[in-house]
Amino acid sequence: ETGVTQTPRHLVMGMTNKKSLKCEQHLGHNAMYWYKQSAKKPLELMFVYNFKEQTENNSVPSRFSPECPNSSHLFLHLHTLQPEDSALYLCASSQEGIDTQYFGPGTRLTVL
Amino acid sequence: AQSVTQLGSHVSVSEGALVLLRCNYSSSVPPYLFWYVQYPNQGLQLLLKYTSAATLVKGINGFEAEFKKSETSFHLTKPSAHMSDAAEYFCAVSEGTGNQFYFGTGTSLTVIP
């Protein structure tokens, strides 16, 4: 596969469930990002990883827990989410020093 | 701090007509500017970017944008709209370091046959 892939593409979960979103980039980049996209709102940057180290955490609730085991993979672990967490979650990657971000197709999350 | 304003959350044009999507930014340093397009149920795809070279930037699918420092604008244009251009368009700004992107709220483009 090429580019940035995300799985699953759709996820429905209850508020007590635990689930994980997965992102994989095949571009040789060393920075990866999680964004939340809600209707009528700007994209919200959630987390940034550079060379597997987390460099940004924009006041994201602890029910979202990122994990970056290597520069190609990024996970977002979800636990006891709220209905307002329903959104499209986008993963992106970039090369350090080169600003362009490349996005995956997103995971459409619905919290019941 | 940086920010992006996209004027008009919805724009409708007739097929074959000029497309103009507006973007204004604020930045304390020379910015890097981007336009992304998002089709339904897909992620964001880079259309074009400005990184302090030529002020008129050409992108994919016939789109182009002009950086105007005096107006702090980076409007996106296409001479002739095609039905396949119907999508959500996002303007973004970055300082070029620190991995921080700031996105606008998006403009939904409808193309009328």
Side-chain angles (χ1 to χ4, degrees):
Chain A
E1 294 203 59
T2 59
V4 182
T5 58
Q6 291 186 243
T7 55
R9 294 293 310 275
H10 300 272
L11 178 62
V12 179
M13 59 187 290
M15 289 191 285
T16 58
N17 291 157
K18 290 184 180 181
K19 296 286 185 183
S20 295
L21 310 184
K22 178 183 177 182
C23 174
E24 184 173 1
Q25 60 96 0
H26 310 268
L27 299 169
H29 292 163
N30 47 35
M32 297 187 76
Y33 313 76
W34 279 117
Y35 286 89
K36 177 183 179 182
Q37 185 179 28
S38 304
K40 309 302 180 187
K41 289 185 178 181
L43 269 73
E44 302 172 45
L45 179 64
M46 300 174 72
F47 302 105
V48 181
Y49 277 82
N50 272 315
F51 294 98
K52 303 185 298 178
E53 298 297 322
Q54 184 175 312
T55 58
E56 295 282 345
N57 177 341
N58 286 349
S59 304
V60 180
S62 59
R63 57 185 183 269
F64 294 91
S65 174
E67 178 189 1
C68 188
N70 55 61
S71 58
S72 298
H73 294 86
L74 184 65
F75 295 89
L76 188 62
H77 303 300
L78 316 172
H79 176 54
T80 58
L81 295 191
Q82 304 298 310
E84 59 266 28
D85 297 322
S86 299
L88 182 68
Y89 287 85
L90 292 165
C91 175
S93 71
S94 70
Q95 184 65 22
E96 180 69 12
I98 301 174
D99 225 351
T100 307
Q101 295 189 6
Y102 295 87
F103 286 80
T107 295
R108 174 68 63 185
L109 174 67
T110 302
V111 181
L112 302 176
Chain B
Q2 302 190 46
S3 66
V4 175
T5 302
Q6 290 184 240
L7 295 176
S9 58
H10 297 277
V11 171
S12 294
V13 300
S14 297
E15 189 174 16
L18 171 71
V19 176
L20 171 61
L21 304 182
R22 299 179 186 275
C23 173
N24 289 87
Y25 68 92
S26 66
S27 175
S28 57
V29 299
Y32 287 22
L33 294 159
F34 304 79
W35 275 100
Y36 283 86
V37 61
Q38 185 179 31
Y39 298 102
N41 300 314
Q42 294 187 28
L44 278 66
Q45 178 184 358
L46 180 68
L47 269 180
L48 49 82
K49 64 178 180 180
Y50 166 78
T51 56
S52 74
T55 56
L56 182 62
V57 182
K58 294 186 183 298
I60 62 172
N61 302 338
F63 284 93
E64 61 182 37
E66 186 173 8
F67 171 65
K68 291 187 176 180
K69 184 177 179 180
S70 61
E71 299 178 6
T72 60
S73 69
F74 191 57
H75 302 330
L76 182 71
T77 60
K78 182 175 181 177
S80 176
H82 191 271
M83 295 299 294
S84 61
D85 294 328
E88 189 88 14
Y89 291 81
F90 293 91
C91 183
V93 63
S94 168
E95 291 182 356
T97 60
N99 304 112
Q100 279 281 13
F101 260 48
Y102 300 88
F103 285 88
T105 51
T107 297
S108 178
L109 176 66
T110 300
V111 181
I112 304 167

